[in-house]
Amino acid sequence: MPRPAHCVPQRWTNKPVSGLIELLPTLLEGLRLTLQITVVAAALGLACAVVAGLAREFAPRPLNWLAATYVEVFRGTSALVQLFWFFFALPLMGINLGAFLTAVLVLGLNTGAYGAEVVRGAIGAVPRGQWEAAASLGYGRAGTLRRVIFPQAALAMVPPTGNLLIELLKNTALVSMITLSDLTFRAQMLRAETLRTVEIFLLVLLLYYLAARLITHGMGRLERHLARGRDHGGSLS
Amino acid sequence: MTSALEFTGVEKRYGELAVLDGFELSVPRGEKLAIIGPSGSGKSTVLRIAMALEGIQRGRVELLGETLWDGAKRPPEKTLRRLRLHAGMVFQHFNLFPHMSALENVCCAPVDVLGVPRAQAQARGRELLEQVGLADKADSAPEQLSGGQKQRVAIARALAMEPAVMLFDEVTSALDPEMVGEVLNVLRDLAARSDMTMLLVTHEMQFAGEIADRIVFMDGGRVVEQGPPEQLLSQPSEPRTQAFLRSVLQPGRQAPAQD
């Protein structure tokens, strides 16, 4: 007597492994969007991090407060709710950004809020003597930052920035909630079609993991490059 | 001709603590002046104020006849930057830029700040490194240099801006004893061949006596006694100066209690 369908423990036990290959193209299509969102949001996030970090450290009061508010608001609220707010609430006020723009904007601003603290911390960690030495040589504040402080702080920023980028990559899964067909969204679609839950989500985990490894690898190379620059004294230009 | 530096009735405090209190000092151009005194007497603060790294609360400071500090009022950043070009400073802890080679440390400011063409700045930088005995270390990173070598690079770096006034803030205090000599030799040479005004805050009494035209003894934020080295070091008239010199010249023996 055949067992009822819901008692079949795992579909993959009665499907050949080669069936996994059929799942890949759809998932890779989703991965592409995931990576696109990650890259664009990372670029926006890094820019926000530098601007807000510098503003919190050096800007006069109103700008300083603005930066602090930005950091607190985005760190202090749920990224998913922010996505919903930008995607569902903002259009009611007449601003329709579309799903992709909403995704990179919200995730970028989120990354930037955390990144601002990274930038601020790294700049604050450069000893005061470096500022004084630069001032005694006639550098102004901007010149000191550019030539003396930032190059030193950059090295200290790399590891926490790597963490932030991996965090960002994983957070992109949230965009599946605002109709974007990213990796997670595709996985859910495939699952609904094929019911091959175990393989699909295993593959998805693997793909996220590999993408995160890529970021780790890249940041490691960047760190070695900056540290090597220090050994050789960096470049003068 | 106006003095290189002129402190008039300067008061400087950190919160409640008065670091300088009615401080008066006039330094003629070209003078080699040593400032001595117990720690906490305000010696380094005098240099930091002259370098425009710190302001004051009261009084007046002039650098080469131009007003640097006038009471608690802070001059515009532009003025401070311009006046800083007249002075150069060498710090106790070197403060070399760790991400630049020795040569880049020396020639970055002439290029970035003064707009000297790079090739010219580098040639001048190599000359200066040679002058401090480090011609072969031009491409070394600071972390590859010994303390004495770092401090000599720092001296070359300050000299590269060709300041009229050079401020040396306890430049041998952070060095291992065997490296003090090499730095003092550079300073000795500099004092002998340059007409720069030099202010040295130092604990090396013998060295101070050797190169200084005048020694100033500070205590409690003001000048207690000053005079030519031979007089101040061997026949100080103030009890506080006598006690201080006894304690540094015969370390380990307690200075007699003061009333």
Side-chain angles (χ1 to χ4, degrees), chain A residues 128-130 132-140 147-148 151-152 229-237, chain B residues 48 51 53 81 84 87 91 95-101 104 108-109 112-113 118 122 141 143 157 161:
Chain A
R128 200 175 61 144
Q130 294 288 309
E132 294 182 344
S136 79
L137 291 168
Y139 282 96
R147 294 287 283 126
V148 177
Q152 295 182 58
R230 167 168 296 197
D231 282 340
H232 294 168
S235 82
L236 194 63
S237 47
Chain B
R48 296 172 58 79
M51 190 66 249
L53 296 178
R81 275 191 72 181
R84 281 188 191 122
F91 300 85
N95 299 356
L96 289 183
F97 303 137
H99 57 298
M100 300 181 187
S101 69
E104 286 160 12
C108 66
D112 294 340
V113 177
R118 187 174 308 275
Q122 285 183 338
E143 65 185 12
R157 177 175 73 171
M161 295 298 283

Side-chain angles (χ1 to χ4, degrees), chain B:
Chain B
M1 195 151 95
T2 53
S3 348
L5 266 169
E6 195 82 45
F7 287 73
T8 318
V10 170
E11 181 184 313
K12 165 78 182 173
R13 30 179 83 250
Y14 295 113
E16 288 293 288
L17 180 73
V19 184
L20 297 181
D21 187 9
F23 180 78
E24 305 271 340
L25 182 67
S26 178
V27 186
R29 290 194 195 206
E31 187 178 41
K32 317 295 182 239
L33 176 79
I35 304 179
I36 62 172
S39 59
S41 58
K43 312 178 297 277
S44 293
T45 306
V46 170
L47 299 193
R48 296 172 58 79
I49 289 170
M51 190 66 249
L53 296 178
E54 289 187 35
I56 60 178
Q57 272 74 43
R58 210 173 294 176
R60 192 178 172 80
V61 180
E62 287 178 14
L63 178 61
L64 300 174
E66 286 191 77
T67 301
L68 175 57
W69 301 110
D70 185 8
K73 196 176 66 192
R74 189 179 170 84
E77 202 57 34
K78 227 172 98 186
T79 311
L80 288 181
R81 275 191 72 181
R82 186 172 56 79
L83 288 173
R84 281 188 191 122
L85 294 179
H86 295 317
M89 188 155 177
V90 182
F91 300 85
Q92 182 178 353
H93 295 288
F94 331 127
N95 299 356
L96 289 183
F97 303 137
H99 57 298
M100 300 181 187
S101 69
L103 180 62
E104 286 160 12
N105 264 281
V106 176
C107 58
C108 66
V111 172
D112 294 340
V113 177
L114 301 179
V116 175
R118 187 174 308 275
Q120 190 185 326
Q122 285 183 338
R124 177 70 183 136
R126 287 185 194 278
E127 274 174 33
L128 287 166
L129 285 176
E130 191 173 347
Q131 188 184 328
V132 299
L134 292 173
D136 56 331
K137 298 290 182 188
D139 297 322
S140 301
E143 65 185 12
Q144 298 166 324
L145 302 175
S146 72
Q149 291 170 334
K150 281 183 202 169
Q151 196 57 298
R152 287 186 279 152
V153 172
I155 292 170
R157 177 175 73 171
L159 289 174
M161 295 298 283
E162 302 186 353
V165 180
M166 273 283 271
L167 309 162
F168 299 91
D169 188 11
E170 302 196 26
V171 293
T172 58
S173 297
L175 297 179
D176 290 334
E178 73 268 23
M179 292 170 184
V180 170
E182 65 191 59
V183 172
L184 293 186
N185 283 338
V186 167
L187 294 184
R188 199 175 277 124
D189 178 54
L190 199 59
R193 63 190 251 180
S194 143
D195 56 0
M196 268 186 319
T197 309
M198 290 170 64
L199 272 71
L200 298 100
V201 165
T202 182
H203 292 294
E204 305 283 338
M205 295 304 144
Q206 199 192 339
F207 173 73
E210 212 180 299
I211 71 155
D213 302 318
R214 176 166 59 129
I215 297 186
V216 165
F217 172 71
M218 282 182 71
D219 194 14
R222 51 173 67 207
V223 173
V224 173
E225 184 172 0
Q226 52 181 308
E230 53 279 13
Q231 182 207 318
L232 191 120
L233 291 180
S234 51
Q235 298 146 347
S237 55
E238 292 286 328
R240 273 192 286 176
T241 319
Q242 293 164 0
F244 172 74
L245 288 173
R246 258 200 308 278
S247 70
V248 291
L249 296 177
Q250 301 172 357
R253 277 178 58 176
Q254 212 53 23
Q258 299 289 299
D259 52 351

